[in-house]
Structures are given as C-alpha cells and as structure tokens.
C-alpha cells in the first residue's frame, strides 16, 4: 500500500507546475494553501500573480528560528513524467527529487503535528519560480522576512551537506552605435566592436575556468544585420560565478568601470551571494547530530557550482542548510528518489523541527521591552 508520504508526493507530481505554466503553478499553490489553512498557522505571501508564493509560520513573526523552504515549480518534461511511478525501490517522476519531496515532507509535518504547531517557532515557504530566478524569494526578503536559518533541500545530494555554493552575476551588456556602410566604418560607430572589446577585457581579468576558480563565460552574443553594414546595436550576456564574495565585488567594480569607458549599458538579470554553510549555530549543531544518527556515519560535505535560492538568503547573511536524500537525474527524463529515503528524510526533518520550541522570552525580548510599564 502506498504510504501517506508517497501519496502526497504523487499528488504534487501530478500537477504539472512547470515554471512557465501559471495555471498549474496556481493550482499547486492553491492545493498547498487549502491544506495548510486547516491548521493554526499565520499565512501571508502573494498568491495573486503568475508565480504565486506563500509563507506560513507557527508564530506571528517574520523571524522564525527555521524556515523550511520549497519550490513547487519544475522544469519541463514529457506528460508521462507527471504520473509518479515506483520501480525497483525508486520513485520516478518530474519533481520527485527537485524538489517536491520537500513540500511533501513539510505538508506531512503540518498534518501530523497540527496540535503542536503553536509551541514551535518555524515557518514554511512555498514558491513557484525558483527554476526561473527565484524572484519571489527576493520579494519576501525585501518585505522584511528574516528567518534565523533556512532549510532548502535543493542540492547537497545523497545526504551530503552543501558546504559551499558559488555566488553569481548574470549580466546583459548593451552597446548602441551608429550604422554605416561596411566600406566606410569611420562614418559609423560599431556597437559589436565595443561589446567585443569589453568582453575580451573582462575575460582577461578572469581567465580561469577550473571548478574552484571564479569563472566568466560569455553565453550569448547578438548584433548586426548584414555582412556589409556597421552594427548600430549589439548585446552580450555574461555569466560570472565564484565561491568568494570579494571576486563578485571585483567583477562588479571592473564591469562598472569598463562599461563606462566603452559607453555601454548593463543590467543585472540574475545575482546572488555565495552560500557558505555555518556549522556554528545551535540549530545547525542539532541538525548535524540528528543527521549522523540518521545516516550512521560522520557528516559528509559537498560543493555546488550552480545556484539555488540559498544565494538570495546568503545576500542577507541568513545561513542555510542544503541537503537532499539519495536520488538523482534532476532536470533529466529519469529523475528519481530512493523510495525508502522519503520516510527517513521526513523523520529527520520532523525530529529537528519538533526541537525548535517557541520561547517567548528569547524570541520576543525586544517586544517585551516596548511594553508600557505597569508601575
Ligand atoms: Zn530545485
């Protein structure tokens, strides 16, 4: 018989919530909302948009001790992948690993511990735009949400904690020039040449392309209309990544200076800080101890060259724990999750969350000070 956890995961997988399918994103978020509204939670967010999101906390605060984050959107897949299957002890389907297993665990927790929620100080975030930039996570942070720690199972494969993830800049450069006949370049202003000069100079500043380096890649180049015409417009896209905040700052400073020198415009289309796992907090220490109990071995760590929504929290110096159970094939047509890891993973989250008791004194000390004196 299918367990409750598997049934919930199968239902979430059955909603084809591809990031650019607003109807399905609405449907999946409405389902989550209708489920959690049955429990004592403080719910806010923005559900009236193409990429709806919501946050539910056990206390009336924007600073929960742990925020459990999950994106509900997935990358495209064949229709068959939206029916979850179980084969050879594996759960197969779009989103089983990336990352509907998280929303499944959170929903199950809320249902199982409905009566205990008010004694805890945790929150749950559900978004539908991670695969296309995670802008709702940014919006939430701009609205003043400041969780003390965020749990995001969106990396850190096979029970390894993501120790480091690169920060990034996605930049679009635009050059505007003046058209002329190709035979008379002095009468025009070649936008393509200026774009090429800037990207060449940037590449010379960051020439390294090895995994641990700061890497710079020109990923798109457009411009020009005919072989014998000077281009009056050109654009380039550049992807920059590094494990170090200083590299990102250096890149930004150089970019600003070069675009000024060559008269280019630029816009940041994506950004985020490097994520560095912070082992020092009590909440993280409790998690590490429980993780060792679960796996029966010392904690293992991994590094990520890609990004998740952790980068947005890192911008605000909010620590994150990024870890997933055993599975794989994210974004591929054979995405899978080890079936027996779903209850194991849930138990780990459950035990950890239940330890996060709400304490009025420690969490709202400043609020007490603002109370008028009774004497
Ligand atoms: Zn993901």
């Amino acid at each position: 018989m299918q367990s409750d956890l598997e049934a919930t995961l199968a239902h979430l997988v059955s909603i084809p919530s591809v990031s650019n399918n607003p109807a399905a994103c609405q449907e999946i978020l409405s389902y989550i909302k209708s489920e959690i509204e049955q429990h004592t939670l403080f719910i806010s967010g923005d559900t009236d948009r193409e990429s709806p999101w919501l946050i539910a906390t056990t206390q009336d605060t924007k600073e929960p001790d742990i925020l459990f984050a999950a994106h509900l959107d997935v990358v495209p897949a064949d229709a068959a992948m939206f029916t979850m299957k179980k084969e050879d002890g594996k759960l197969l389907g779009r989103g089983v690993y990336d990352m509907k297993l998280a929303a499944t665990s959170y929903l199950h927790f809320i249902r199982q511990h409905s009566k205990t929620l008010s004694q805890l100080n945790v929150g749950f975030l559900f978004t539908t735009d991670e695969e296309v930039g995670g802008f709702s996570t940014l919006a939430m942070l701009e609205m003043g949400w400041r969780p003390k720690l965020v749990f995001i199972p969106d990396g850190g494969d096979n029970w390894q904690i993501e120790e480091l993830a690169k920060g990034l800049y996605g930049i679009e450069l635009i050059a505007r020039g003046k058209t002329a006949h190709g035979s008379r370049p002095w009468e025009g202003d070649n936008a393509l040449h200026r774009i090429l000069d800037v990207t060449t100079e940037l590449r010379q500043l960051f020439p390294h392309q090895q995994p641990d380096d700061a890497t710079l890649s020109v990923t798109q180049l457009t411009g020009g209309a005919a072989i014998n015409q000077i281009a009056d417009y050109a654009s380039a896209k550049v992807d920059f990544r590094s494990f170090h905040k200083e590299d990102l700052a250096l890149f930004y400073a150089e970019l600003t200076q070069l675009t000024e020198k060559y008269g280019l415009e630029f816009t940041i289309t994506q950004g985020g800080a490097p994520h560095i796992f912070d082992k020092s907090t009590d909440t993280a220490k409790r998690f590490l101890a429980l993780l060792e109990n679960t796996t029966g071995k010392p904690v293992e760590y991994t590094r990520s060259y890609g990004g998740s929504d952790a980068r947005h929290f890192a911008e605000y110096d909010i620590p994150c724990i990024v870890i997933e159970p055993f599975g794989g094939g994210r974004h591929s047509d054979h995405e899978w999750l080890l079936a027996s890891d779903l209850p194991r993973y849930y138990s780990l989250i459950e035990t950890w969350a239940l330890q996060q008791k709400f304490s009025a004194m420690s969490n709202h000390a400043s609020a007490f000070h603002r109370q008028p004196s009774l004497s």
Side-chain angles (χ1 to χ4, degrees), residues 38-103:
Q38 299 168 33
H39 307 274
T40 317
L41 289 163
F42 297 86
I43 300 173
S44 56
D46 191 351
T47 53
D48 193 22
R49 65 203 290 269
E50 283 202 351
S51 304
W53 61 278
L54 71 78
I55 188 164
T57 51
T58 56
Q59 303 298 325
D60 187 10
T61 175
K62 283 186 168 175
E63 299 174 17
D65 287 341
I66 305 172
L67 180 66
F68 290 92
H71 69 79
L72 298 163
D73 57 319
V74 293
V75 294
D78 286 345
M81 280 190 80
F82 294 103
T83 303
M84 190 176 90
K85 291 182 191 66
K86 192 172 184 178
E87 282 171 20
D88 303 329
K90 288 177 175 178
L91 301 172
L92 307 164
R94 172 59 78 235
V96 291
Y97 198 53
D98 185 13
M99 60 181 282
K100 289 179 172 175
L101 76 103

Side-chain angles (χ1 to χ4, degrees), residues 232-306:
D232 64 349
Y233 178 90
S235 76
K237 288 184 182 163
V238 175
D239 178 298
F240 182 83
R241 293 172 195 256
S242 174
F243 284 125
H244 307 289
K245 251 182 169 165
E246 309 79 65
D247 289 340
L248 288 146
L250 175 65
F251 169 75
Y252 188 84
E254 294 289 349
L255 179 76
T256 309
Q257 200 232 322
L258 282 172
T259 48
E260 219 164 273
K261 179 175 153 194
Y262 287 90
L264 265 55
E265 302 157 27
F266 75 89
T267 44
I268 300 169
T269 53
Q270 282 193 67
H275 159 235
I276 302 159
F277 175 60
D278 179 358
K279 308 172 193 185
S280 68
T281 64
D282 287 345
T283 317
K285 282 179 189 160
R286 277 197 291 273
F287 182 82
L288 293 174
L290 290 170
L291 177 60
E292 289 195 340
N293 278 345
T294 303
T295 61
K297 57 184 181 184
V299 176
E300 293 174 355
Y301 293 95
T302 182
R303 291 178 162 207
S304 171
Y305 306 111

Side-chain angles (χ1 to χ4, degrees), residues 71 73 97-99 130-131 153-155 307-308 324 330-331:
H71 69 79
D73 57 319
Y97 198 53
D98 185 13
M99 60 181 282
E130 192 278 337
E131 300 291 2
D154 203 10
S308 71
E324 278 178 319
R330 60 172 70 234
H331 295 205

Side-chain angles (χ1 to χ4, degrees), residues 59-288:
Q59 303 298 325
D60 187 10
T61 175
K62 283 186 168 175
E63 299 174 17
D65 287 341
I66 305 172
L67 180 66
F68 290 92
H71 69 79
L72 298 163
D73 57 319
V74 293
V75 294
D78 286 345
M81 280 190 80
F82 294 103
T83 303
M84 190 176 90
K85 291 182 191 66
K86 192 172 184 178
E87 282 171 20
D88 303 329
K90 288 177 175 178
L91 301 172
L92 307 164
R94 172 59 78 235
V96 291
Y97 198 53
D98 185 13
M99 60 181 282
K100 289 179 172 175
L101 76 103
T104 298
S105 302
Y106 305 162
L107 265 188
H108 195 67
F109 180 84
I110 291 167
R111 290 176 187 144
Q112 293 291 307
H113 298 285
S114 187
K115 293 199 174 70
T116 318
L117 293 174
S118 63
Q119 295 162 36
L120 306 176
N121 188 6
V122 300
F124 304 90
L125 171 68
F126 300 93
T127 63
T128 57
D129 64 358
E130 192 278 337
E131 300 291 2
V132 289
F135 298 105
S136 52
T137 300
L138 280 176
M140 181 204 82
L141 286 160
E142 277 159 21
M143 285 164 68
W145 289 88
R146 292 295 180 271
K148 297 197 182 74
L149 187 145
V150 182
F151 183 77
I152 309 184
D154 203 10
D157 300 342
N158 197 7
W159 300 96
Q160 298 178 331
I161 291 188
E162 187 179 281
E163 191 173 34
L164 270 178
K166 284 187 172 179
L168 70 109
Y169 272 123
I171 301 286
E172 180 166 17
L173 293 162
I174 291 173
R176 295 178 204 282
K178 188 173 166 244
T179 189
H181 193 280
S183 65
R184 305 172 76 86
W186 57 89
E187 289 177 1
D189 171 12
N190 196 326
L192 268 170
H193 285 182
R194 283 195 278 122
I195 283 269
L196 290 171
D197 288 346
V198 170
T199 50
T200 301
E201 281 202 40
L202 281 172
R203 288 185 58 213
Q204 282 163 356
L205 288 164
F206 300 98
H208 307 291
Q209 298 288 317
Q210 293 307 306
D212 289 344
D213 295 335
T215 59
L216 182 142
S217 306
V218 179
T219 49
Q220 264 186 23
L221 202 56
T222 53
I227 194 167
N228 57 355
Q229 187 182 45
I230 302 296
D232 64 349
Y233 178 90
S235 76
K237 288 184 182 163
V238 175
D239 178 298
F240 182 83
R241 293 172 195 256
S242 174
F243 284 125
H244 307 289
K245 251 182 169 165
E246 309 79 65
D247 289 340
L248 288 146
L250 175 65
F251 169 75
Y252 188 84
E254 294 289 349
L255 179 76
T256 309
Q257 200 232 322
L258 282 172
T259 48
E260 219 164 273
K261 179 175 153 194
Y262 287 90
L264 265 55
E265 302 157 27
F266 75 89
T267 44
I268 300 169
T269 53
Q270 282 193 67
H275 159 235
I276 302 159
F277 175 60
D278 179 358
K279 308 172 193 185
S280 68
T281 64
D282 287 345
T283 317
K285 282 179 189 160
R286 277 197 291 273
F287 182 82
L288 293 174

